[in-house]
């Protein structure tokens, strides 16, 4: 992911892949424990010397945000909101130096997928819970659905589902899904939570 960041258009002392790698390292050190699994900050301020900048700050910010989002999806990291990257220019900072500050900024994320049914449900995070409880990312307010019913994780280019000890079971294409091992599902797969069935689609 980091090596594919349009490297040919840059000639500055600090390459965007170096910045992205620094962001990823800082995120890994800033992992937050969430009930669904590892979560990382989504708001990053990158400070560099103006002499290290080849692109307008807005363009660099967009490229870095896209790279961060892609890496989070690869790792299955949960993000508390959309990714924001702020480029701060400091002429007093040493040339070739990168400073990164990370923080949590909660907000609505753009869905990467959906469960099509009645109703259709958006899948907006890389790591989410499905269930009857309001603490779940995808809420199914039906008596047959458990409060914490199932987990869906997007990582390594694949989508995985796991039951969370539900009373009435989770099924993928008619096959029961267990608690101990996640099952890979693909666009077009039919997933069932108790008696509620949906078709997985990408957004």
């Amino acid at each position: 992911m980091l090596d594919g960041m349009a490297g040919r258009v840059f000639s500055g002392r600090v390459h965007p892949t170096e910045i992205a790698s620094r962001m990823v390292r800082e995120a890994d050190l800033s992992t937050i424990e969430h009930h669904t699994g590892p979560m990382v900050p989504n708001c990053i301020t990158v400070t560099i010397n103006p002499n290290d900048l080849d692109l307008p700050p807005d363009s660099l910010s967009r490229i870095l945000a896209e790279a961060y989002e892609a890496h989070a999806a690869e790792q299955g990291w949960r993000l508390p909101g959309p990714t924001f990257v702020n480029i701060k220019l400091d002429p007093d900072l040493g040339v070739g130096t990168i400073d990164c500050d990370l923080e949590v900024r909660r907000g609505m994320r753009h869905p990467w997928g959906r469960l099509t049914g009645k109703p259709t449900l958006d899948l907006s995070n890389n790591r989410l819970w499905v269930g009857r409880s309001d603490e779940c990312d995808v809420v199914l307010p039906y008596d047959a659905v458990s409060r914490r019913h199932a987990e869906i994780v997007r990582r390594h280019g694949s989508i995985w589902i796991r039951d969370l000890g539900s009373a009435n079971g989770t099924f993928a294409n008619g096959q029961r899904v267990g608690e101990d091992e996640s099952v890979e599902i693909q666009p077009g797969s039919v997933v069932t939570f108790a008696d509620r069935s949906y078709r997985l689609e990408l957004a």
Side-chain angles (χ1 to χ4, degrees):
M1 180 275 297
L2 299 180
D3 290 336
M5 293 176 54
R8 292 188 302 274
V9 302
F10 300 96
S11 60
R13 293 180 178 85
V14 176
H15 195 280
T17 55
E18 296 178 62
I19 302 175
S21 295
R22 175 66 181 274
M23 289 166 49
V24 165
R25 288 197 303 271
E26 293 295 330
D28 198 35
L29 294 172
S30 304
T31 301
I32 303 162
E33 287 303 318
H34 188 269
H35 60 259
T36 62
M39 181 173 75
V40 297
N42 62 313
C43 184
I44 306 103
T45 298
V46 176
T47 305
I48 59 174
N49 188 292
N51 292 321
D52 288 324
L53 186 69
D54 277 339
L55 281 179
D58 287 349
S59 297
L60 180 58
S61 173
R62 185 180 64 255
I63 290 172
L64 293 174
E66 290 173 355
Y68 192 81
E69 283 276 347
H71 189 78
E74 181 70 12
Q75 297 299 314
W77 285 344
R78 182 183 177 89
L79 292 164
T83 296
F84 299 96
V85 178
N86 176 44
I87 304 300
K88 181 179 177 181
L89 302 179
D90 183 357
D92 295 326
L93 191 68
V95 172
T97 302
I98 305 167
D99 279 351
C100 281
D101 293 312
L102 285 72
E103 62 178 308
V104 169
R105 183 185 296 179
R106 300 192 180 277
M108 297 294 294
R109 289 181 50 76
H110 184 76
W112 56 263
R114 63 179 65 90
L115 296 174
T116 302
K118 296 183 179 180
T120 293
L121 308 166
D122 285 338
L123 304 176
S124 300
N125 224 304
N126 300 317
R127 182 177 293 272
L128 51 84
W129 279 5
V130 180
R132 196 174 74 247
S133 170
D134 288 341
E135 74 173 345
C136 292
D137 303 280
V138 178
V139 178
L140 297 178
Y142 308 109
D143 291 341
V145 176
S146 295
R147 289 180 58 79
R148 300 176 180 179
H149 198 102
E151 174 189 68
I152 297 175
V153 176
R154 181 176 66 148
R155 67 175 185 272
H156 303 313
S158 300
I159 305 166
W160 305 82
I161 190 168
R162 179 174 69 91
D163 189 75
L164 293 176
S166 66
N168 295 311
T170 301
F171 302 84
N173 295 319
Q175 300 297 311
R176 193 178 188 105
V177 176
E179 295 180 58
D180 298 329
E181 187 172 347
S182 298
V183 172
E184 185 176 0
I185 53 177
Q186 299 176 347
S189 294
V190 174
V191 294
T192 303
F193 311 100
D195 58 354
R196 301 283 167 168
S197 293
Y198 301 86
R199 186 176 300 277
L200 174 66
E201 296 181 355
L202 297 181

